[in-house]
Coordinates of all heavy atoms in Angstrom, one line a residue:
M11 N 141.8 109.3 90.1 CA 141.7 109.6 91.5 C 141.3 108.3 92.3 O 140.3 107.7 92.0 CB 140.6 110.6 91.8 CG 141.1 112.1 91.7 SD 139.9 113.3 92.2 CE 140.8 114.8 91.9
P12 N 142.1 107.9 93.1 CA 141.8 106.7 93.9 C 140.7 106.9 94.9 O 140.9 107.8 95.7 CB 143.2 106.3 94.5 CG 143.9 107.6 94.6 CD 143.5 108.4 93.5
A13 N 139.7 106.1 94.8 CA 138.6 106.3 95.7 C 138.6 105.2 96.8 O 137.6 104.8 97.3 CB 137.3 106.3 95.0
S14 N 139.8 104.8 97.1 CA 139.9 103.7 98.1 C 139.8 104.2 99.5 O 139.6 103.4 100.4 CB 141.3 103.0 97.9 OG 142.3 104.0 98.0
K15 N 140.0 105.5 99.7 CA 140.0 106.0 101.0 C 138.5 106.2 101.4 O 137.9 107.2 101.1 CB 140.7 107.3 101.1 CG 141.0 107.7 102.5 CD 141.8 109.0 102.6 CE 142.1 109.5 104.0 NZ 142.7 110.8 104.0
V16 N 138.0 105.2 102.1 CA 136.6 105.3 102.6 C 136.6 105.6 104.0 O 137.2 104.9 104.9 CB 135.9 103.9 102.3 CG1 134.4 104.0 102.8 CG2 135.9 103.6 100.9
T17 N 135.9 106.7 104.3 CA 135.8 107.1 105.7 C 134.4 106.6 106.3 O 133.4 107.2 106.0 CB 135.9 108.6 105.9 OG1 135.0 109.2 105.0 CG2 137.3 109.0 105.7
R18 N 134.5 105.5 106.9 CA 133.2 104.9 107.5 C 132.8 105.6 108.7 O 131.6 105.8 109.0 CB 133.4 103.4 107.7 CG 132.9 102.6 106.6 CD 132.8 101.1 107.0 NE 134.2 100.6 107.1 CZ 134.4 99.3 107.5 NH1 133.4 98.5 107.9 NH2 135.6 98.9 107.6
L19 N 133.8 106.0 109.5 CA 133.5 106.6 110.8 C 133.4 108.1 110.7 O 134.3 108.7 110.2 CB 134.5 106.2 111.9 CG 134.5 104.7 112.2 CD1 135.6 104.4 113.2 CD2 133.1 104.4 112.9
R20 N 132.3 108.7 111.1 CA 132.3 110.1 111.1 C 133.2 110.6 112.2 O 133.3 110.0 113.3 CB 130.8 110.6 111.4 CG 130.0 110.7 110.1 CD 128.6 111.2 110.4 NE 127.9 110.1 111.1 CZ 126.6 110.2 111.5 NH1 126.1 111.4 111.4 NH2 126.0 109.3 112.1
P21 N 133.7 111.8 112.0 CA 134.6 112.3 113.1 C 133.7 112.6 114.3 O 132.8 113.4 114.3 CB 135.2 113.6 112.5 CG 134.3 113.9 111.4 CD 133.7 112.6 110.9
T22 N 134.0 111.9 115.4 CA 133.2 112.1 116.6 C 134.0 112.8 117.6 O 135.2 112.6 117.8 CB 132.7 110.8 117.2 OG1 133.8 109.9 117.3 CG2 131.7 110.1 116.3
R23 N 133.4 113.7 118.4 CA 134.1 114.4 119.4 C 134.2 113.4 120.6 O 133.3 112.6 120.9 CB 133.2 115.6 119.9 CG 133.2 116.7 118.9 CD 132.4 117.8 119.4 NE 132.1 118.7 118.3 CZ 131.3 119.8 118.4 NH1 130.7 120.0 119.6 NH2 131.0 120.6 117.4
P24 N 135.3 113.5 121.3 CA 135.5 112.7 122.5 C 134.6 113.1 123.6 O 134.1 114.2 123.6 CB 137.0 112.9 122.9 CG 137.3 114.2 122.3 CD 136.5 114.3 121.0
C25 N 134.3 112.2 124.5 CA 133.5 112.5 125.6 C 134.1 113.6 126.4 O 135.3 113.6 126.8 CB 133.4 111.2 126.5 SG 132.6 111.5 128.1
P26 N 133.3 114.7 126.7 CA 133.8 115.8 127.4 C 134.2 115.5 128.8 O 134.9 116.3 129.5 CB 132.7 116.9 127.3 CG 131.5 116.1 127.0 CD 131.9 114.8 126.3
I27 N 133.7 114.4 129.3 CA 134.0 114.0 130.7 C 135.3 113.3 130.8 O 136.1 113.6 131.6 CB 132.8 113.2 131.3 CG1 131.5 114.0 131.1 CG2 133.1 112.9 132.7 CD1 131.5 115.3 131.9
C28 N 135.4 112.2 130.0 CA 136.6 111.3 130.2 C 137.4 111.2 128.9 O 138.4 110.4 128.9 CB 136.1 110.0 130.7 SG 135.1 109.1 129.5
D29 N 137.1 111.9 127.9 CA 137.8 111.9 126.6 C 137.8 110.6 125.9 O 138.6 110.4 125.0 CB 139.3 112.3 126.9 CG 139.4 113.8 126.8 OD1 138.5 114.5 126.4 OD2 140.5 114.3 127.2
K30 N 136.9 109.7 126.3 CA 136.8 108.5 125.5 C 135.9 108.8 124.3 O 135.1 109.7 124.3 CB 136.1 107.4 126.4 CG 137.0 106.8 127.4 CD 136.3 105.7 128.2 CE 137.1 105.2 129.3 NZ 136.4 104.3 130.2
P31 N 136.0 108.0 123.3 CA 135.1 108.2 122.1 C 133.7 108.1 122.5 O 133.3 107.2 123.2 CB 135.5 107.0 121.2 CG 136.8 106.5 121.7 CD 136.9 106.8 123.1
S32 N 132.9 109.1 122.0 CA 131.5 109.1 122.4 C 130.8 108.0 121.6 O 131.2 107.7 120.5 CB 130.9 110.5 122.1 OG 131.1 110.8 120.8
V33 N 129.7 107.6 122.1 CA 128.8 106.7 121.4 C 127.5 107.4 121.0 O 127.1 108.4 121.7 CB 128.5 105.4 122.3 CG1 129.7 104.6 122.5 CG2 127.8 105.8 123.6
Q34 N 126.9 106.9 120.0 CA 125.7 107.6 119.5 C 124.6 107.6 120.5 O 123.8 108.6 120.6 CB 125.2 106.8 118.2 CG 124.4 107.8 117.3 CD 124.2 107.2 116.0 OE1 124.5 106.0 115.7 NE2 123.7 107.9 115.0
N35 N 124.4 106.5 121.3 CA 123.3 106.5 122.3 C 123.4 107.5 123.3 O 122.4 108.0 123.8 CB 123.3 105.1 122.9 CG 122.7 104.0 122.1 OD1 122.3 104.3 120.9 ND2 122.6 102.8 122.5
F36 N 124.6 107.9 123.6 CA 124.8 108.9 124.7 C 125.5 110.1 124.2 O 126.1 110.8 125.0 CB 125.5 108.2 125.9 CG 124.8 107.0 126.4 CD1 125.4 105.8 126.2 CD2 123.7 107.1 127.1 CE1 124.8 104.6 126.7 CE2 123.0 106.0 127.6 CZ 123.6 104.8 127.4
H37 N 125.4 110.3 122.9 CA 126.1 111.5 122.4 C 125.8 112.8 123.1 O 124.7 113.0 123.5 CB 125.7 111.6 120.9 CG 126.5 112.7 120.2 ND1 127.7 112.4 119.6 CD2 126.2 114.0 119.9 CE1 128.2 113.5 119.1 NE2 127.3 114.5 119.2
P38 N 126.8 113.6 123.5 CA 128.2 113.5 123.0 C 129.0 112.8 124.1 O 130.2 113.0 124.1 CB 128.6 114.9 122.9 CG 127.8 115.6 124.0 CD 126.5 114.8 124.2
F39 N 128.4 111.9 124.9 CA 129.2 111.3 126.0 C 129.4 109.8 125.5 O 128.9 109.3 124.6 CB 128.4 111.3 127.3 CG 128.0 112.7 127.6 CD1 126.7 113.2 127.4 CD2 128.9 113.6 128.1 CE1 126.3 114.5 127.7 CE2 128.6 114.9 128.4 CZ 127.3 115.3 128.3
C40 N 130.3 109.2 126.4 CA 130.6 107.8 126.0 C 129.7 106.8 126.7 O 129.7 105.7 126.4 CB 132.1 107.6 126.4 SG 132.3 107.5 128.2
S41 N 129.0 107.3 127.7 CA 128.1 106.4 128.5 C 127.1 107.2 129.3 O 127.2 108.4 129.4 CB 129.0 105.6 129.5 OG 129.6 106.4 130.4
A42 N 126.1 106.5 129.8 CA 125.1 107.2 130.6 C 125.7 107.8 131.8 O 125.3 108.8 132.3 CB 124.0 106.3 130.9
R43 N 126.8 107.1 132.3 CA 127.4 107.6 133.5 C 128.0 109.0 133.3 O 127.8 109.9 134.1 CB 128.5 106.6 133.9 CG 129.1 106.9 135.2 CD 130.1 105.8 135.6 NE 131.0 106.3 136.6 CZ 132.2 106.9 136.3 NH1 132.6 107.0 135.1 NH2 133.0 107.3 137.3
C44 N 128.7 109.1 132.2 CA 129.3 110.4 131.9 C 128.2 111.5 131.6 O 128.4 112.6 132.0 CB 130.3 110.3 130.7 SG 131.9 109.6 131.2
A45 N 127.2 111.1 131.0 CA 126.1 112.0 130.8 C 125.5 112.5 132.1 O 125.2 113.7 132.2 CB 125.0 111.4 129.9
N46 N 125.4 111.6 133.0 CA 124.9 112.0 134.4 C 125.9 112.9 135.1 O 125.5 113.8 135.8 CB 124.6 110.7 135.2 CG 123.3 110.1 134.8 OD1 122.4 110.8 134.4 ND2 123.3 108.8 134.9
I47 N 127.2 112.6 134.9 CA 128.2 113.4 135.5 C 128.1 114.9 135.0 O 128.1 115.8 135.8 CB 129.6 112.9 135.3 CG1 129.8 111.6 136.1 CG2 130.7 113.9 135.7 CD1 131.1 110.8 135.7
D48 N 127.9 115.0 133.7 CA 127.8 116.3 133.1 C 126.6 117.0 133.6 O 126.6 118.2 134.0 CB 127.7 116.2 131.6 CG 127.8 117.5 130.9 OD1 128.9 118.1 131.0 OD2 126.8 118.0 130.4
L49 N 125.5 116.3 133.7 CA 124.2 116.8 134.2 C 124.4 117.3 135.7 O 124.0 118.4 136.1 CB 123.1 115.8 134.2 CG 121.7 116.3 134.6 CD1 121.2 117.3 133.7 CD2 120.8 115.1 134.8
G50 N 125.1 116.5 136.5 CA 125.4 116.9 137.8 C 126.3 118.1 137.9 O 126.1 119.0 138.8
K51 N 127.2 118.3 136.9 CA 128.0 119.5 136.9 C 127.2 120.7 136.8 O 127.3 121.7 137.4 CB 129.0 119.4 135.8 CG 130.3 118.6 136.1 CD 131.1 118.5 134.8 CE 132.5 118.7 135.1 NZ 133.3 118.7 133.8
W52 N 126.2 120.6 135.9 CA 125.3 121.7 135.6 C 124.5 122.0 136.9 O 124.3 123.2 137.3 CB 124.4 121.5 134.5 CG 125.0 121.7 133.2 CD1 125.5 120.7 132.3 CD2 125.2 122.9 132.5 NE1 126.1 121.3 131.2 CE2 125.9 122.6 131.3 CE3 124.9 124.2 132.8 CZ2 126.3 123.6 130.4 CZ3 125.3 125.2 131.9 CH2 126.0 124.9 130.7
L53 N 124.0 121.0 137.5 CA 123.1 121.2 138.7 C 123.9 121.8 139.8 O 123.5 122.7 140.5 CB 122.5 119.9 139.1 CG 121.5 119.3 138.1 CD1 121.0 118.0 138.5 CD2 120.3 120.3 137.9
T54 N 125.1 121.2 140.1 CA 125.9 121.7 141.2 C 126.5 123.1 140.9 O 126.7 123.9 141.7 CB 127.0 120.7 141.5 OG1 127.8 120.5 140.3 CG2 126.5 119.4 142.1
G55 N 126.7 123.3 139.6 CA 127.2 124.6 139.1 C 126.3 125.7 139.5 O 126.7 126.8 139.8
A56 N 125.0 125.4 139.5 CA 124.0 126.4 139.8 C 124.1 126.9 141.2 O 123.8 128.0 141.6 CB 122.6 125.8 139.6
Y57 N 124.6 125.9 142.1 CA 124.8 126.3 143.5 C 126.2 126.8 143.8 O 126.5 127.3 144.8 CB 124.5 125.1 144.4 CG 123.1 124.6 144.3 CD1 122.8 123.5 143.6 CD2 122.1 125.3 144.9 CE1 121.5 123.0 143.5 CE2 120.8 124.9 144.8 CZ 120.5 123.7 144.1 OH 119.2 123.3 144.0
A58 N 127.1 126.7 142.8 CA 128.5 127.0 143.0 C 128.8 128.4 142.4 O 130.0 128.7 142.2 CB 129.4 125.9 142.4
I59 N 127.8 129.2 142.1 CA 128.1 130.5 141.5 C 128.8 131.3 142.6 O 128.2 131.6 143.7 CB 126.8 131.1 141.0 CG1 126.2 130.4 139.9 CG2 127.1 132.6 140.6 CD1 124.8 130.8 139.5
P60 N 129.9 131.8 142.3 CA 130.7 132.6 143.3 C 130.0 133.9 143.6 O 129.5 134.6 142.7 CB 132.0 132.8 142.7 CG 131.8 132.6 141.2 CD 130.7 131.6 141.1
A61 N 129.9 134.2 144.8 CA 129.2 135.5 145.2 C 130.1 136.6 144.7 O 131.3 136.5 144.7 CB 129.0 135.5 146.7
E62 N 129.5 137.7 144.4 CA 130.2 138.9 144.0 C 131.1 139.4 145.1 O 130.6 139.8 146.2 CB 129.2 140.0 143.6 CG 128.5 139.6 142.3 CD 129.3 139.9 141.1 OE1 130.1 140.9 141.1 OE2 129.2 139.2 140.1
A63 N 132.4 139.3 144.9 CA 133.3 139.7 146.0 C 133.3 141.2 146.1 O 133.7 141.8 147.1 CB 134.7 139.2 145.7
G64 N 132.8 141.9 145.0 CA 132.9 143.3 145.0 C 131.9 143.9 146.0 O 132.1 145.1 146.5
E65 N 130.9 143.1 146.4 CA 130.0 143.7 147.4 C 130.6 144.0 148.7 O 130.2 144.8 149.5 CB 128.9 142.6 147.6 CG 127.6 142.9 146.8 CD 126.5 141.9 147.0 OE1 125.9 141.9 148.1 OE2 126.3 141.1 146.1
E66 N 131.7 143.2 149.0 CA 132.4 143.4 150.2 C 133.1 144.8 150.3 O 133.5 145.2 151.3 CB 133.4 142.3 150.4 CG 133.7 142.0 151.9 CD 132.6 141.1 152.5 OE1 132.0 140.3 151.8 OE2 132.4 141.2 153.7
D67 N 133.2 145.4 149.1 CA 133.9 146.7 149.1 C 133.1 147.7 149.8 O 133.7 148.7 150.2 CB 134.1 147.1 147.6 CG 135.4 146.7 147.1 OD1 136.3 146.2 147.9 OD2 135.7 146.9 145.9
D68 N 131.8 147.5 149.9 CA 131.0 148.6 150.5 C 131.1 148.5 152.0 O 130.1 148.3 152.7 CB 129.6 148.4 150.0 CG 128.8 149.7 150.3 OD1 129.4 150.7 150.6 OD2 127.6 149.6 150.2
D69 N 132.3 148.6 152.6 CA 132.4 148.5 154.0 C 132.1 149.9 154.7 O 132.0 150.9 154.0 CB 133.8 148.1 154.4 CG 134.9 148.9 153.8 OD1 134.5 149.6 152.8 OD2 136.0 148.9 154.2
F70 N 132.0 149.9 156.0 CA 131.6 151.1 156.7 C 132.8 151.8 157.2 O 132.8 152.3 158.3 CB 130.7 150.8 157.8 CG 129.4 150.1 157.3 CD1 129.3 148.7 157.3 CD2 128.4 150.9 156.8 CE1 128.2 148.1 156.8 CE2 127.2 150.2 156.3 CZ 127.1 148.9 156.3
S71 N 133.9 151.9 156.4 CA 135.1 152.6 156.9 C 135.1 154.1 156.6 O 136.0 154.8 156.8 CB 136.3 151.9 156.3 OG 136.3 152.0 154.9
E72 N 134.0 154.4 155.9 CA 133.9 155.9 155.5 C 133.7 156.7 156.7 O 132.7 156.5 157.5 CB 132.7 156.0 154.5 CG 133.1 156.2 153.1 CD 131.9 156.4 152.2 OE1 131.3 157.4 152.4 OE2 131.7 155.5 151.4
D73 N 134.5 157.7 156.9 CA 134.3 158.6 158.0 C 133.4 159.7 157.6 O 133.6 160.5 156.6 CB 135.7 159.2 158.4 CG 136.4 158.3 159.3 OD1 135.8 157.5 160.0 OD2 137.7 158.3 159.2
E74 N 132.3 159.9 158.3 CA 131.3 160.9 158.0 C 131.7 162.2 158.8 O 131.0 162.5 159.7 CB 129.9 160.4 158.3 CG 129.3 159.7 157.1 CD 127.9 159.4 157.4 OE1 127.0 160.3 157.3 OE2 127.6 158.2 157.7
K75 N 132.7 162.8 158.3 CA 133.0 164.0 159.1 C 132.7 165.3 158.3 O 133.0 165.3 157.1 CB 134.5 164.0 159.4 CG 134.7 163.3 160.7 CD 136.2 163.5 161.2 CE 136.4 162.9 162.6 NZ 137.8 163.0 163.0
Ligands
ZN26 ZN1 132.9 109.5 129.2

């Protein structure tokens, strides 16, 4: 069995932000910038939760007759 195939690099996931190879320092991102972008996504996402559109269904079109 030939043991010449040496895998020095562990399979790393690409940066979820820009798809560049991630670096260990900012894993799983490629840079601090992308890490911050991801953090910003989470923070802004908290404010971007869509309101329940179903609430609008409770309109007052019911005729109380
Ligand atoms: Zn990146």
Side-chain angles (χ1 to χ4, degrees):
M11 274 189 181
S14 56
K15 195 179 179 184
V16 179
T17 49
R18 261 191 290 176
L19 293 174
R20 271 181 289 175
T22 51
R23 290 180 194 172
C25 173
I27 303 299
C28 67
D29 271 348
K30 283 181 189 173
S32 60
V33 295
Q34 203 166 11
N35 280 2
F36 302 108
H37 188 82
F39 307 102
C40 71
S41 61
R43 186 174 162 271
C44 280
N46 280 330
I47 289 173
D48 188 71
L49 182 68
K51 275 172 135 187
W52 280 100
L53 292 177
T54 54
Y57 297 105
I59 294 171
E62 292 278 327
E65 261 179 75
E66 207 80 29
D67 262 356
D68 198 12
D69 53 342
F70 300 97
S71 62
E72 255 181 66
D73 277 331
E74 272 187 75
K75 270 189 176 177

